[in-house]
Amino acid sequence: MQIRPASNNQLKLWRKLQQTKYRKKEGLFLAEGERCVEQIVENGFLKVESIILEKGYRAGFDFEAAAYEVERTEFESLSDTDTPQGILAICKVPEEARGLHQKESGLMVAFDAVQDPGNVGTIIRTAAWFGAAGLLIGNGTADPFHPKVVRSTAGATGALDYAKGDLAELLGEFENVDWQVYLMDGGDDSINLQSIKPEKKSILVIGNEGNGISDHLFLSQRTKVGIPGHSSAVESLNAAIATGIGLYHMTGGAGG
């Protein structure tokens, strides 16, 4: 494998990929860390354009993408972590899925302004584990190709089809072809998640960490579901944990 030095123009472009507008413009994103990059290479869901290595670093796995070596200070300028692991991948952003609502069955996970990149990445990883049919990324949600989100997916980025946009419009599009929407909500009038038998075509909506699901998404044909708890010391569950519990129940616990 030939490892080449990176040019100043390449470094300039790669640094820009830390910003959403440039990821969108270039159609590329950064994936960082040995485990994350190895999983992306092995699962083959994404096109890997380049691998960037800190000088002296050697990957513990094989890859076919072009490899570039940079000095430590240059690598640190590309990384958004406090302790960079010495390896990054430049990946092509997968296109949004067309006709996702036309799938005949499955469980979709919908994000309503879930803002924390760690939560979004963990939810994507968990959804992939439980074999979700796809992701609906509502406006205000952290970019699924943000470096922190990608790192939190631990290599699951690209494993699931996705669509982005106004969540009210996306849900309406799905409901027009008989998808059932379940809203994760901690209100007193929510139905216990354990009593729900999900439909063949179901969507599980998770809301914003602080505000929950937007008021305008609560429509009469949609089902509010909650997770019962037994502690007066905690107001609510973390968004990613709540989604994991919801996915476990709604898929019958069939992961892996």
Side-chain angles (χ1 to χ4, degrees):
M1 177 183 63
Q2 181 182 5
I3 302 177
R4 305 167 233 183
S7 69
N8 288 333
N9 285 338
Q10 286 174 314
L11 287 166
K12 185 178 179 180
L13 169 62
W14 295 337
R15 290 188 189 105
K16 288 181 176 179
L17 297 180
Q18 295 182 17
Q19 301 177 53
T20 301
K21 65 178 181 179
Y22 288 108
R23 290 194 293 273
K24 185 175 180 179
K25 177 183 176 181
E26 303 294 337
L28 299 170
F29 69 94
L30 293 164
E32 181 175 358
E34 174 100 12
R35 182 185 179 196
C36 181
V37 175
E38 182 178 11
Q39 287 296 311
I40 285 173
V41 169
E42 287 187 355
N43 65 35
F45 296 126
L46 297 166
K47 178 175 175 54
V48 179
E49 300 265 315
S50 309
I51 300 288
I52 306 165
L53 303 169
E54 181 183 326
K55 191 172 183 179
Y57 184 93
R58 292 295 177 265
F61 58 93
D62 296 327
F63 55 86
E64 297 180 358
Y68 296 91
E69 188 176 66
V70 300
E71 297 291 338
R72 180 172 181 81
T73 54
E74 294 171 333
F75 192 90
E76 289 176 341
S77 74
L78 300 173
S79 170
D80 74 336
T81 65
D82 294 331
T83 55
Q85 294 182 19
I87 183 169
L88 285 159
I90 307 297
C91 305
K92 187 172 179 59
V93 174
E95 294 184 3
E96 291 186 49
R98 294 181 180 273
L100 197 54
H101 61 291
Q102 295 174 354
K103 290 195 174 188
E104 295 183 358
S105 64
L107 174 63
M108 301 283 173
V109 177
F111 299 77
D112 178 30
V114 182
Q115 297 176 329
D116 182 80
N119 279 338
V120 173
T122 301
I123 291 170
I124 292 172
R125 178 184 179 186
T126 308
W129 174 262
F130 285 108
L135 308 169
L136 306 181
I137 313 294
N139 294 336
T141 296
D143 179 8
F145 304 104
H146 184 290
K148 290 181 180 178
V149 175
V150 174
R151 194 164 60 252
S152 295
T153 72
T157 298
L160 299 174
D161 291 334
Y162 75 100
K164 299 173 70 174
D166 181 275
L167 190 56
E169 294 179 4
L170 288 171
L171 293 178
E173 184 179 63
F174 277 74
E175 286 174 316
N176 285 338
V177 287
D178 300 324
W179 286 78
Q180 177 63 47
V181 174
Y182 298 90
L183 307 165
M184 293 286 287
D185 181 70
D188 293 337
D189 58 344
S190 294
I191 299 172
N192 188 325
L193 177 68
Q194 294 174 331
S195 67
I196 293 294
K197 183 178 180 181
E199 297 292 331
K200 181 181 178 182
K201 299 194 294 185
S202 297
I203 301 172
L204 183 65
V205 182
I206 187 72
N208 175 269
E209 291 89 348
N211 301 318
I213 292 173
S214 303
D215 290 343
H216 69 278
L217 295 180
F218 288 97
L219 301 181
S220 60
Q221 74 269 25
R222 298 172 183 170
T223 304
K224 292 196 292 183
V225 296
I227 299 169
H230 304 285
S231 174
S232 59
V234 179
E235 181 182 4
S236 62
L237 287 171
N238 168 271
I241 290 175
T243 307
I245 294 170
L247 284 166
Y248 180 83
H249 173 75
M250 296 186 76
T251 61

